[in-house]
Amino acid sequence: MEQYEPDRLSPAQVAAMRRSLRNGRASLSRRSLLRASAGGALTVGGLGALSACGIPAAGKTQGGVSAEDHSATEKTISFSNWTEYMDVDKSEKHHPTLDAFTKRTGIQVKYTEDINDNNEFFGKIKPQLAAGQATGRDIVVLTDWLAGRLIRLGWVQKLDPANLPHAYANLSDQFRSPDWDPGRAYSYPWQGISTVIAYNKKALDGVEVKSISDLLDNPKLKGRVGFLSEMRDSIGMTLLDMGKDPAKFTNDDFDAVIARLQKAVDKGQIRRFTGNDYTADLTKGDLAACVAWAGDVVQLKADSPDLDFIIPDSGYITSTDNMLIPNKARHKTNAERLMDYYYEPEPAAELAAYINYVCPVDGVKPYLAKIDKDAADNPLIIPDQSMAAKSHSFRLLSSKEETAYEEKFAKLTGA
């Protein structure tokens, strides 16, 4: 089990965190394109305080450290999630799927939207976890790379398969065994996040875009191309274009991608590296094509018929946001029951119809079609077999690799 080292964040990691909070996935809510404004973010002062905070050494960690399970006598769950990442009714005061779970089981869910950024949330819970204390949460939803870190540190509990029959049976094959949690012993996906190429047909004006190479090399697109400020997405998509596997790449492979992107920056091919703010530039036509998140494209297409997406023949990057049970959670069995509930096709379909990210549940399509046929037929929500086959995950990085890679990427993007 990896030992926790309470080092300060490196300058590169702080820079990456600032990027994410300023204009990455953290900066706008999950359905921000239709509804909400930017979510809360740390101030620069807050970032400085987080980067400097010291935590007592954890010593040797032990996976699966549980408090006494009070599920039988305390019919409750504390569930921490990202903002705008749950279905709501027209009044925007109730969550229909959570209400249905409570009605069926009698378990009340204390649902809190208190995750705006992975690093920020990690800073919030790591003092308790490092000290072997409870976080006050029974379920947290974290992106795969941070989920993997918590598993390595031994800070989340191993799941009981007996309480997860639907999850085990219905989890889509493409999400079944990531390198950071083989066989899903500690986590189950909440939703998938696909990185694709989005384009504005009117702005392209007949120029063909089928690959990352087209974005980087076609002179007709000079100054009208965007890449994402999230390192794993832009590097991962370029690795695939260069015939490299994002799950197995070397330091030399990473440096080759940086060099290729730097060349495109130097000649003015790439307009800028963006977070969610690419959506405005793409809609206006200032960007003709860009690396984009599929959930955004689904929403953009609804209002802008000129916008569409392609999946390169080389493949695309998929990550996941994942449900985990922290050490010392008081209601582990209740939490597992809720996790399993979202792998039943009907509640999974209700959730997918509302948030429009990649549904990780097999067999959900006919149920989703009853709610929203367009969503059910959209491969960005329910990947078909050919699209799923092109899906690739970015490998888990060591702390040393992450620091080195973020430094190089920050230099490339000017962050």
Side-chain angles (χ1 to χ4, degrees):
M1 194 68 66
E2 179 178 309
Q3 181 169 337
Y4 177 64
E5 298 178 0
D7 297 335
R8 297 183 178 190
L9 294 178
S10 70
Q13 288 170 317
V14 173
M17 187 173 172
R18 283 196 177 101
R19 284 200 310 273
S20 184
L21 288 169
R22 183 173 62 246
N23 62 4
R25 284 203 305 134
S27 70
L28 297 176
S29 68
R30 301 294 177 153
R31 290 177 60 83
S32 58
L33 295 166
L34 293 182
R35 303 175 69 242
S37 60
L42 290 177
T43 63
V44 173
L47 281 165
L50 178 57
S51 67
C53 66
I55 299 172
K60 293 183 178 179
T61 58
Q62 296 180 346
V65 179
S66 62
E68 180 182 351
D69 191 351
H70 295 268
S71 294
T73 56
E74 297 178 5
K75 296 294 184 180
T76 185
I77 304 168
S78 179
F79 183 178
S80 285
N81 205 347
W82 295 71
T83 56
E84 304 284 341
Y85 216 12
M86 180 67 76
D87 56 306
V88 298
D89 65 5
K90 292 181 180 179
S91 73
E92 299 193 5
K93 295 180 180 179
H94 301 284
H95 302 292
T97 56
L98 287 177
D99 291 346
F101 174 78
T102 297
K103 184 176 181 180
R104 180 199 296 182
T105 64
I107 299 170
Q108 298 289 330
V109 182
K110 180 186 176 184
Y111 182 74
T112 308
E113 295 180 339
D114 60 347
I115 304 178
N116 291 305
D117 174 79
N118 286 288
N119 281 313
E120 177 193 2
F121 189 73
F122 183 60
K124 189 182 298 184
I125 63 175
K126 68 183 177 181
Q128 296 100 318
L129 292 172
Q133 299 171 352
T135 65
R137 299 168 174 87
D138 299 303
I139 298 178
V140 296
V141 176
L142 300 172
T143 305
D144 43 20
W145 62 267
L146 182 54
R149 182 188 298 176
L150 264 64
I151 292 169
R152 289 201 317 268
L153 290 167
W155 288 356
V156 294
Q157 297 186 53
K158 194 168 186 178
L159 302 173
D160 184 349
N163 294 328
L164 294 154
H166 296 97
Y168 180 81
N170 295 335
L171 176 61
S172 296
D173 286 343
Q174 72 178 105
F175 301 122
R176 196 163 279 275
S177 194
D179 62 352
W180 48 269
D181 186 17
R184 291 288 180 181
Y186 294 89
S187 69
Y188 270 94
W190 177 249
Q191 296 291 293
I193 306 160
S194 297
T195 306
V196 299
I197 295 176
Y199 61 88
N200 184 316
K201 285 180 274 190
K202 187 174 181 180
L204 283 178
D205 193 25
V207 176
E208 189 173 62
V209 171
K210 291 186 175 181
S211 67
I212 294 294
S213 289
D214 291 334
L215 297 187
L216 295 174
D217 301 330
N218 191 331
K220 293 181 180 179
L221 297 177
K222 182 177 179 179
R224 298 191 297 138
V225 167
F227 274 69
L228 289 169
S229 58
E230 294 290 340
M231 183 264 288
R232 288 167 176 81
D233 295 299
S234 288
I235 296 293
M237 291 292 282
T238 311
L239 280 166
L240 286 168
D241 188 72
M242 296 172 68
K244 302 296 182 179
D245 185 348
K248 299 177 181 178
F249 68 90
T250 65
N251 289 336
D252 288 343
D253 295 333
F254 185 92
D255 289 344
V257 170
I258 291 291
R260 188 176 185 203
L261 292 172
Q262 186 66 62
K263 182 179 178 181
V265 169
D266 292 344
K267 69 181 181 181
Q269 184 77 6
I270 296 176
R271 183 184 182 92
R272 64 192 185 101
F273 290 83
T274 73
N276 285 92
D277 50 335
Y278 70 80
T279 57
D281 287 347
L282 188 65
T283 301
K284 289 187 295 184
D286 292 341
L287 288 176
C290 63
V291 180
W293 289 304
D296 292 347
V297 179
V298 172
Q299 300 300 332
L300 288 170
K301 284 183 65 176
D303 295 325
S304 303
D306 285 330
L307 303 187
D308 213 331
F309 76 98
I310 64 104
I311 301 296
D313 287 341
S314 59
Y316 67 101
I317 294 293
T318 295
S319 56
T320 49
D321 286 331
N322 308 275
M323 298 179 282
L324 305 104
I325 300 176
N327 283 355
K328 296 297 185 76
R330 285 179 62 90
H331 311 105
K332 182 173 184 285
T333 300
N334 289 347
E336 289 168 338
R337 291 182 68 183
L338 182 63
M339 293 168 70
D340 193 62
Y341 166 75
Y342 279 104
Y343 276 80
E344 295 178 27
E346 289 185 1
E350 290 184 55
L351 183 65
Y354 184 81
I355 61 178
N356 294 156
Y357 275 75
V358 179
C359 180
V361 182
D362 269 348
V364 78
K365 185 171 182 176
Y367 296 89
L368 181 56
K370 295 177 182 177
I371 303 170
D372 186 338
K373 190 176 186 306
D374 288 341
D377 291 336
N378 191 329
L380 296 181
I381 299 174
I382 307 293
D384 56 28
Q385 198 168 26
S386 62
M387 183 168 174
K390 293 182 178 181
S391 171
H392 297 267
S393 297
F394 198 94
R395 71 172 173 84
L396 190 64
L397 303 179
S398 68
S399 297
K400 183 177 179 180
E401 285 177 324
E402 184 161 359
T403 296
Y405 292 170
E406 286 289 5
E407 285 177 350
K408 294 174 181 180
F409 190 70
K411 184 177 180 180
L412 168 72
T413 62

